Amino acid sequence: VTSPATLRTQLRSWLAANDLERWRGHPATVEETVVQHASLMRLLYDEGFARYGWPAQMGGLGGDERHRAVLYDELSRAQLPLPQQCLSLETLGPAVIRFAPELAAELHPRCLRGEEWWAQGFSEPEAGSDLASLRTRATPDADGYRINGQKIWTSHAVTARRIVMLTRTGTAEERHRGLTMLMVDADAPGITIRPVAMANGRNELAEVFFDDVPVPAARRIGAEGAGWTVAMYLLQWERAMYAWQSACTLFARFERLRSELRGTGSAPADAAARLGDCYLDLVELRARSVETITRLAAGETVGPEASVDKVLLARAEQGLHDAARDLRPASFAIGSAGDGSNQREWRDEWWYSRAASILGGSAEVQRGILADRVLNLPKI
Ligand SMILES: Cc1cc2nc3c(=O)[nH]c(=O)nc-3n(C[C@H](O)[C@H](O)[C@H](O)COP(=O)(O)OP(=O)(O)OC[C@H]3O[C@@H](n4cnc5c(N)ncnc54)[C@H](O)[C@@H]3O)c2cc1C
């Protein structure tokens, strides 16, 4: 298998040699963004770059997390977006491969080609931080299960082809022991998906209602009742790999902000100090993240320690976007009709960065996990 270092060299020269301008810029809607990203994903698949880091039987070319990390790093250095499809694949792919290899062999290659992508249906109106209290029920029947209930804050559910979701198959009292992970087609009968606009106006989130939705038994990920184990395995990538992907994107935005401020000649007096603080946060996140990815690549269990990456990410992401808000032109927050793609992107991403300390488990909850399960601090 090509080494991560060789992959980096090959990718860097391919990125420099090709005109990829159509993938830069910021489409006006989420729906346009994911379609545009899907075409980039397809190109990266055809060139082989998106296939490194995934097993051959899943449509990949072998290698490990380090290969995938190189792809995200180099795309960002070239000021290209990380395809949305890569973000969802990093969160959900490793768990589906590990706990439902036959299903993964069928569907994972389609994700790599950008033909489909999946949403993650964990949170419910009464079950966010306290995920083990979720109530969406999967009742066994002759062919598999019937699902009834509701999910909320499901990212990209509006355009996703399937939803990987945690359901309750046991009793409410069993809490995390009575859960089962299923993969459901987003167009299955009985599913209603309603977009939820974010503060930036983009329909990135959705609430999803399930009314007696049939799911074949072959769509179960892991054993019945083992949903929590699958979810905890999955969260390592959701927290650690997502932190790396975000660090790559944030470095690219940092570079953009720096060159924009250089160009104006009228940057505020504290600009250098603000940028310096952002840079330190980013380097800290990246240093930590390199270590975590190396551990994942070696097959180690990162477990609750991935919460460190998540906490560092939230600080770096919010700090950089706050600096951009304060140091860039004043129309930043409200916007005006003449705003170009770059200005709109900064504003949309500033709004999105507010969620960095909420999504994937809030910053308070991450600190609780670190206190209880990593540092073993006494309960007060
Ligand atoms: C942009 C975005 C995208 C998302 N995408 C998805 C997705 O794709 N799939 C999905 O399933 N979910 C998704 N979520 C939901 C996300 O996982 C939840 O919002 C998050 O877990 C918090 O749950 P909650 O919103 O119910 O808040 P709550 O759990 O109600 O928390 C409210 C407040 O109480 C605090 N709190 C709660 N419990 C504790 C505790 N034990 N210790 C200290 N403080 C505590 C929290 O920190 C928070 O400040 C997304 C959320 C956002 C904002």
Side-chain angles (χ1 to χ4, degrees):
V1 177
T2 306
S3 75
T6 308
L7 174 63
R8 189 185 284 283
T9 311
Q10 290 171 351
L11 185 52
R12 197 172 284 187
S13 43
W14 180 80
L15 288 167
N18 286 278
D19 177 11
L20 303 167
E21 204 47 42
R22 58 175 282 222
W23 284 287
R24 298 190 176 97
H26 182 60
T29 66
V30 168
E31 293 80 357
E32 289 169 79
T33 305
V34 284
V35 169
Q36 179 168 315
H37 286 191
S39 65
L40 177 58
M41 194 74 189
R42 177 73 213 205
L43 177 65
L44 293 167
Y45 177 90
D46 289 342
E47 295 291 333
F49 297 123
R51 302 176 66 189
Y52 284 104
W54 299 106
Q57 59 276 34
M58 306 298 163
L61 293 172
D64 55 46
E65 280 74 4
R66 293 168 306 159
H67 294 77
R68 280 140 49 195
V70 163
L71 171 65
Y72 310 140
D73 199 22
E74 289 301 318
L75 287 176
S76 301
R77 276 171 199 259
Q79 294 290 338
L80 284 162
L82 300 194
Q84 178 52 47
Q85 289 75 15
C86 290
L87 301 185
S88 73
L89 207 51
E90 281 300 344
T91 301
L92 303 168
V96 180
I97 290 174
R98 163 85 187 266
F99 293 98
E102 284 181 20
L103 190 59
E106 181 194 343
L107 301 179
H108 192 91
R110 297 190 202 175
C111 295
L112 287 181
R113 292 194 293 267
E115 291 165 5
E116 68 174 67
W117 46 97
W118 307 333
Q120 178 188 19
F122 282 19
S123 306
E124 298 183 3
E126 302 299 327
S129 302
D130 185 15
L131 189 57
S133 66
L134 68 85
R135 290 186 298 195
T136 295
R137 175 158 288 285
T139 310
D141 72 0
D143 303 317
Y145 299 89
R146 293 261 165 188
I147 304 182
N148 286 282
Q150 183 198 345
K151 297 289 175 181
I152 194 165
W153 316 129
T154 320
S155 295
H156 296 288
V158 173
T159 57
R161 178 81 184 80
R162 303 173 214 280
I163 304 172
V164 174
M165 58 186 290
L166 257 185
T167 60
R168 183 159 297 287
T169 39
T171 63
E173 293 70 38
E174 281 179 298
R175 302 257 310 155
H176 60 274
R177 289 187 302 280
L179 303 176
T180 300
M181 193 77 78
L182 298 172
M183 183 190 279
V184 185
D185 288 350
D187 61 356
I191 292 194
T192 308
I193 301 176
R194 286 200 206 130
V196 176
M198 294 185 66
N200 62 13
R202 291 163 77 86
N203 286 337
E204 182 154 334
L205 304 175
E207 48 184 354
V208 187
F209 300 87
F210 300 83
D211 181 10
D212 228 20
V213 176
V215 187
R219 289 298 186 81
R220 202 178 61 218
I221 300 165
E224 188 170 304
W228 193 254
T229 306
V230 180
M232 291 305 107
Y233 183 83
L234 178 154
L235 278 177
Q236 299 181 94
W237 278 268
E238 172 166 5
R239 291 184 180 147
M241 214 49 180
Y242 181 73
W244 172 260
Q245 292 175 315
S246 303
C248 296
T249 307
L250 291 175
F251 258 107
R253 290 206 187 120
F254 174 83
E255 286 304 335
R256 251 168 55 200
L257 180 59
R258 195 160 71 120
S259 64
E260 283 174 23
L261 292 174
R262 259 209 212 111
T264 61
S266 59
D270 65 342
R274 293 289 299 274
L275 286 183
D277 287 343
C278 293
Y279 187 70
L280 284 179
D281 286 347
L282 285 173
V283 169
E284 192 180 0
L285 167 63
R286 192 175 162 99
R288 165 68 190 190
S289 198
V290 164
E291 196 189 332
T292 308
I293 301 251
T294 309
R295 290 179 62 192
L296 283 174
E300 283 182 40
T301 302
V302 175
E305 287 177 62
S307 293
V308 173
D309 305 49
K310 182 71 186 29
V311 169
L312 293 178
L313 161 63
R315 189 172 71 194
E317 184 165 338
Q318 293 180 348
L320 176 67
H321 288 90
D322 283 348
R325 177 199 56 196
D326 298 343
L327 301 176
R328 294 185 82 263
S331 68
F332 187 94
I334 302 162
S336 64
D339 282 348
S341 158
N342 188 40
Q343 178 81 340
R344 281 191 287 106
E345 181 174 359
W346 275 116
R347 187 169 49 247
D348 287 350
E349 295 302 336
W350 179 84
W351 280 110
Y352 197 89
S353 71
R354 302 306 95 184
S357 49
I358 303 173
L359 60 90
S362 76
E364 292 82 2
V365 167
Q366 303 306 318
R367 290 193 171 91
I369 292 170
L370 291 171
D372 292 342
R373 297 178 50 206
V374 177
L375 299 172
N376 293 316
L377 296 180
K379 299 228 187 263
I380 316 169

